[in-house]
Amino acid sequence: MKLLDLYAKMKGDLNGIEKELERSVRDEHALLSETSVHLLKAGGKRIRPVFVLLAGKFGDYKLDVLKKVAVPLELIHMASLVHDDVIDDADTRRGQPTVKSKWDNRIAMYTGDYIHGRALSVAAELKDPFVHQVLSSALVQMCIGEMEQIRDFFNTDQSVRNYLLRIRRKTALLIAISCQLGAVAAGAERKTANQLYRFGYNVGMAFQIRDDLLDLYGTEKAIGKPPGSDMRQGNITLPVILALRDEGIRESLLHEIAAIRQQGLYADASRAIGLIKNSVGGSLADELANRYIAKALHALQQLPAIPARKNLMDIAHFVGKRNY
Amino acid sequence: MKLLDLYAKMKGDLNGIEKELERSVRDEHALLSETSVHLLKAGGKRIRPVFVLLAGKFGDYKLDVLKKVAVPLELIHMASLVHDDVIDDADTRRGQPTVKSKWDNRIAMYTGDYIHGRALSVAAELKDPFVHQVLSSALVQMCIGEMEQIRDFFNTDQSVRNYLLRIRRKTALLIAISCQLGAVAAGAERKTANQLYRFGYNVGMAFQIRDDLLDLYGTEKAIGKPPGSDMRQGNITLPVILALRDEGIRESLLHEIAAIRQQGLYADASRAIGLIKNSVGGSLADELANRYIAKALHALQQLPAIPARKNLMDIAHFVGKRNY
């Protein structure tokens, strides 16, 4: 099944999530409602809710219960985006003005805090303390990931392991627990929930590697901004780390990265990108993404062959595809 | 009993809380540990833990359980301070450099997020979903309070009701739930917990009004910064709102506030303060603080006459005292 068909099939339940998302952030306080709804309307693929719902199919599927997990996870993701935009000084995201540019940094900061609070309020409607433990520990790990990203800005000596740990915290963990908690909320067996965690973790890793590749190999039209924005921000991603290992281009690439650092957010990254494209960085990163997808598919094979399993496979294949 | 004697008496248990606070924010991630421990070491009166412990005396007092409530409450308070310092562009707090000045705004933002996450992780060790509901809803209300403060910056037309609602969210609520959850965690009766909530709420309101009075009436030595810093930031507090009702000085005071607004964070507020001192603003605010203290004491009278009740009375009297 194509991904669009999957979304079409899940439309009813995803609309239910969408309504709950909006309800959860609406408040008598006009400005906070406005900034939060602005964020919601800016869209997104709602991939975390999709994972929650599909994982829920492995147990006793009840939308009303699954909502209470899907909404906090999507809200936590949204809150991290508002705070990221403050850090990155980003004016647009997905083609829409960011909260920090439409209002200001202070309002973006409190909007993020507010959405965090709302996320936890919704989750608190569930009685299972395990859900709270998993959510709060994910919040902590995500902050550590963000701090590591700041610490490693323009660090051209970082290891692949460093990068993998960082994207695990920044991206893969939240996708992993979306799958896990969907199953837990549906009362699925612990073994099933763990297997789904493994699936989500591996898909999340592949997803972030693909996203980092897209930022270098994609066209401006596909990305919505000039390629190389990670590098301009100082975020040294996997293809760059791998390209730097290539003795033939290492010195020139280091030189280009230093120049980008000096020029700041509007630097021209095209020469650096050209060097990376001439290295094996891209294809090695590609290979690693494929390995994560293979692991994700392997995790699925341990699960009962219900239609949701096929849907998760399709998503994994979609994430695995080169998107540039 | 004097407050210092009370702290001396509670020293053992407060040390236990202190250790748990430090343990809760320590992490393999060096920078986050460093910023969080820096915050912890900057001190504070730990008034929220004191309230939790004293409220716990109305039930089955177990430090190990009460810790799991006291630590999140103090951490939530600390997280709000780090984020406030970003908003207020504050370089020092309690005479110590702030995280945002010692490191930077980005690191302060994630330190706040991280401490939030840690607070919820500790609370998640408790099984009672009521605790999670109360904590997450307090987080939401505190953000709304902060946003209201931003919205009302330099709004000289705001009502007393507006101000009271704001400080309720910003300050009183967290103190109220410290008292409430201490009792809940100790398994005290719901009625007792509610009465303690009422006590904490009224003490919290009085505390914030006194603090706002101190900012205008205190000496630079007592406050640690030149008087009037609220006004310089645009935070229009109760004595100012009440002074503005005095037709004899209203126009001159409006003029001074407009001038302060134009001059920014280093403005000279002494003429505005002089005008307020010549009005009934201060004494009316004073009276209102006393009324809250009376209500707090009244709430205590409904509770069993154990020593902790006397300790809470002493704290209320201390908060009620003019500190300028």
Side-chain angles (χ1 to χ4, degrees), chain A residues 6 20 42 53 63 153 222 225 235 237 256 277 289:
Chain A
L6 178 62
E20 180 78 11
L53 294 179
L63 184 60
F153 272 159
K225 52 194 170 185
N235 186 11
T237 58
E256 287 301 330
K277 284 184 176 169

Side-chain angles (χ1 to χ4, degrees), chain A residues 48 52 69-77 135 174 177-178 181:
Chain A
R48 289 152 201 85
V52 170
V69 171
V71 166
L73 285 162
E74 187 67 14
L75 290 178
I76 288 173
H77 169 64
L135 281 178
L174 202 61
I177 69 169
S178 298
L181 293 182

Side-chain angles (χ1 to χ4, degrees), chain A residues 239-260:
Chain A
V240 185
I241 296 170
L242 292 170
L244 283 167
R245 288 184 177 177
D246 188 334
E247 286 305 327
I249 68 150
R250 181 175 168 81
E251 285 312 312
S252 335
L253 184 52
L254 282 175
H255 177 81
E256 287 301 330
I257 293 173
I260 289 171

Side-chain angles (χ1 to χ4, degrees), chain A residues 27-32 35 80 82-84 86-88 104-107 109-111 113-118 120-122 124-127 129 132-133 136-137 139-144 146-148 150-151 153 169, chain B residues 27-32 35 80 82-84 86-88 104-107 109-111 113-118 120-122 124-127 129 132-133 136-137 139-144 146-148 150-151 153 169:
Chain A
D27 187 85
E28 76 218 82
H29 189 281
L31 181 51
L32 276 171
T35 54
S80 78
V82 206
H83 281 185
D84 279 2
V86 174
I87 300 298
D88 300 344
D104 65 25
N105 275 341
R106 299 178 311 179
I107 287 174
M109 190 163 86
Y110 284 123
T111 299
D113 289 359
Y114 168 76
I115 293 175
H116 263 160
R118 285 295 189 197
L120 296 158
S121 285
V122 174
E125 294 174 37
L126 290 170
K127 306 279 175 249
H132 304 276
Q133 280 154 21
S136 55
S137 122
L139 275 182
V140 168
Q141 292 298 321
M142 285 174 73
C143 291
I144 297 178
E146 296 290 352
M147 288 283 271
E148 284 170 340
I150 294 175
R151 182 196 59 193
F153 272 159
R169 287 177 161 135
Chain B
D27 187 86
E28 76 219 80
H29 189 281
L31 182 51
L32 275 171
T35 54
S80 79
V82 207
H83 280 184
D84 279 2
V86 174
I87 300 299
D88 300 344
D104 64 26
N105 276 341
R106 299 178 312 180
I107 287 174
M109 191 163 85
Y110 284 123
T111 299
D113 289 359
Y114 168 76
I115 293 175
H116 263 159
R118 284 296 188 197
L120 297 157
S121 286
V122 175
E125 294 174 37
L126 290 169
K127 306 279 174 249
H132 303 276
Q133 280 154 21
S136 55
S137 121
L139 275 182
V140 168
Q141 292 298 320
M142 284 173 72
C143 291
I144 297 178
E146 296 290 351
M147 287 285 271
E148 283 171 339
I150 294 174
R151 180 196 60 194
F153 271 159
R169 288 178 160 135

